[in-house]
Amino acid sequence: MSIEIIAILVLLAIFVIGAILPINIGVLGLAAAFIVGILISDLSLEDVYSVFPVELFIFIVGITYMFAIIQKSGVIDLIADMGLKLVNGKLVLIPWLMFILSSVLASVGTYGIAVVTLLGPIALKIAHKCQISPLMISIMIIMGMQAGSFSPLNIFGVIVNGGMETRGLEHSPALLLLNCFIYFSIVALIAFLLFGGLRLIKRDLNGLPYVASLGVPANVLPEQKEGLNLYKVICLAAIAALGILSIGFDMNLGFAAILVGLVLALIAPSKQDEVLKVMPWGVIFLVTGIVTFVGVMEKIGVMRFVTDMIADMGNPVLATLAVSYVGGFVSAFASTTGFLASVIPIAEPVLMDPNLSSVNVISAISASSSIVDLSPLSSAGAILLANVQGIKERVFFRQLMMTTGVFIAFGPGLAWLLFVIIGMPW
């Protein structure tokens, strides 16, 4: 068996083990980088060190550090509270409010699990009291989260845009975000119509009782928290400052976030006690570990081996569809973050094809890989399962699994149709 095949099988084993056992995929990736790179192939220790993704590490650490400070300030909670008050009792607005809130929170850098953790318990409690499908509410939260997760401020966006930039591939952070927002908005609309949205519209049009009259107790809505203060205003301004530094002055996004975060820390040092503890170190470890192993795979010629196989398909359009379906299937049972971190070098021959838009190709792959995060086997899906009310957990588990199966079957095909065949949004 060739070293290339061995490395590919090891990569698949990493995802399988990570899906079955509570072991960080990054640990598996670093171990695999040593075993495959040094013990099996003829790479040196320096070769393995050289593929550690330093720039990506700075990106993720900087952004998560800054937004951990911002989230601890209470700004994220304040945004969520203000959004819920905008519903004003209209049932039909509740699912879309959850979509918008999760999208906004994700787009300003809140990690996806934090978005679901914040909105899931509140949304599912309201859904139970207002007789709204918990499956529909769950889908709206996940789709909204993913619609904003490919923002250049979010980890998903950082991984994809950073990977494209590192390899010199044409990319557009704004267009990636727009494409994903369009895609997940379409999926959210379909879910809204299929799981009771028309009934909610009818209830509102017929003048049936609004939320406040449906027996929703006060503790369903968020507790009253401290309102806007000077520090929260500064934190909001910090988000704009990060955009100005990174876009206006072409500053490295990771270092810009570290500098902005440092300024926030110096302004309010007493609020920094738990900041480093709430950063998603597991995710950071996951990404850097799996990318290191992917770098080792590239060193020993695996990517050239795989790209030759993709090129042999003779049809980059069908190759994109194949990679999209692989992404949807793998991410349903393993880590979406890990797959996104490893897919760009594998899909490079398709991304470099002059007849296809590299932005649209990576948009299709990204959307296909992340739509399945509703799965109860994922962290986000597990949080929703743990907070559902008015339905037995095993029943809701089956609903989530069946819906995930539908997403695996049709989600990648829809993304491929929209972005590769039709060429949206233009």
Side-chain angles (χ1 to χ4, degrees), residues 112-388:
I113 301 303
V115 172
V116 178
T117 301
L118 175 64
L119 295 182
I122 298 171
L124 288 169
K125 184 179 288 188
I126 294 176
H128 172 55
K129 295 296 182 179
C130 299
Q131 301 174 354
I132 299 173
S133 165
L135 180 59
M136 186 237 281
I137 285 289
S138 299
I139 293 173
M140 298 299 276
I141 292 174
I142 296 296
M143 295 306 106
M145 175 190 78
Q146 303 296 25
S149 287
F150 290 92
S151 156
L153 300 179
N154 195 286
I155 288 179
F156 278 12
V158 169
I159 291 172
V160 174
N161 291 313
M164 297 285 281
E165 182 175 2
T166 299
R167 310 188 78 81
L169 298 169
E170 182 182 355
H171 66 291
S172 169
L175 188 53
L176 173 65
L177 175 60
L178 177 61
N179 282 345
C180 290
F181 188 87
I182 291 172
Y183 175 80
F184 288 109
S185 297
I186 292 173
V187 175
L189 177 60
I190 294 172
F192 175 78
L193 296 175
L194 289 179
F195 296 109
L198 295 177
R199 179 171 56 85
L200 295 180
I201 294 173
K202 186 180 297 185
R203 287 169 65 180
D204 280 340
L205 290 177
N206 290 339
L208 294 180
Y210 290 156
V211 176
S213 304
L214 283 171
V216 180
N219 62 5
V220 168
L221 297 177
E223 298 176 2
Q224 188 65 34
K225 301 179 177 67
E226 180 187 357
L228 201 63
N229 55 34
L230 179 59
Y231 185 61
K232 290 180 181 178
V233 172
I234 294 173
C235 288
L236 288 171
I239 298 174
L242 178 64
I244 294 172
L245 289 173
S246 61
I247 298 174
F249 292 90
D250 198 26
M251 183 180 292
N252 179 279
L253 185 61
F255 280 117
I258 290 174
L259 292 176
V260 173
L262 178 59
V263 171
L264 293 176
L266 292 173
I267 292 174
S270 62
K271 297 180 180 292
Q272 308 307 308
D273 291 344
E274 302 294 321
V275 167
L276 292 179
K277 293 181 180 179
V278 301
M279 287 176 61
W281 290 109
V283 174
I284 295 170
F285 200 16
L286 182 155
V287 173
T288 53
I290 200 68
V291 170
T292 299
F293 180 58
V294 170
V296 168
M297 292 174 68
E298 189 167 10
K299 283 275 188 181
I300 62 180
V302 174
M303 299 313 169
R304 184 171 58 253
F305 176 79
V306 174
T307 54
D308 288 344
M309 289 179 59
I310 294 176
D312 288 342
M313 291 183 68
N315 191 324
V317 174
L318 292 180
T320 302
L321 180 62
V323 175
S324 297
Y325 268 103
V326 169
F329 182 80
V330 169
S331 298
F333 302 99
S335 166
T336 302
T337 311
F339 181 80
L340 289 174
S342 62
V343 71
I344 292 177
I346 294 175
E348 188 169 1
V350 179
L351 293 168
M352 294 182 65
D353 191 291
N355 297 315
L356 296 176
S357 164
S358 60
V359 178
N360 279 7
V361 169
I362 199 60
S363 296
I365 296 172
S366 298
S368 302
S369 305
S370 53
I371 190 176
V372 294
D373 279 1
L374 182 73
S375 167
L377 303 179
S378 70
S379 299
I383 291 171
L384 295 170
L385 181 63
N387 286 279
V388 72

Side-chain angles (χ1 to χ4, degrees), residues 403-414:
T403 306
T404 301
V406 172
F407 284 167
I408 293 173
F410 297 103
L414 176 61

Side-chain angles (χ1 to χ4, degrees), residues 34-118:
F34 176 78
I35 295 171
V36 175
I38 296 176
L39 300 184
I40 298 180
S41 70
D42 58 354
L43 296 183
S44 66
L45 193 60
E46 288 71 23
D47 290 330
V48 175
Y49 286 155
S50 70
V51 297
F52 182 84
V54 176
E55 185 175 1
L56 185 60
F57 175 79
I58 295 295
F59 272 5
I60 299 177
V61 168
I63 288 173
T64 54
Y65 172 67
M66 173 181 160
F67 281 98
I69 294 175
I70 291 175
Q71 184 167 348
K72 196 171 186 298
S73 73
V75 166
I76 303 300
D77 293 333
L78 186 63
I79 293 172
D81 292 354
M82 292 174 62
L84 282 172
K85 291 176 182 177
L86 294 176
V87 172
N88 194 28
K90 291 288 188 179
L91 294 175
V92 72
L93 295 180
I94 293 176
W96 289 108
L97 175 64
M98 296 306 162
F99 177 86
I100 293 171
L101 275 177
S102 56
S103 177
V104 170
L105 293 176
S107 66
V108 298
T110 309
Y111 186 53
I113 301 303
V115 172
V116 178
T117 301
L118 175 64

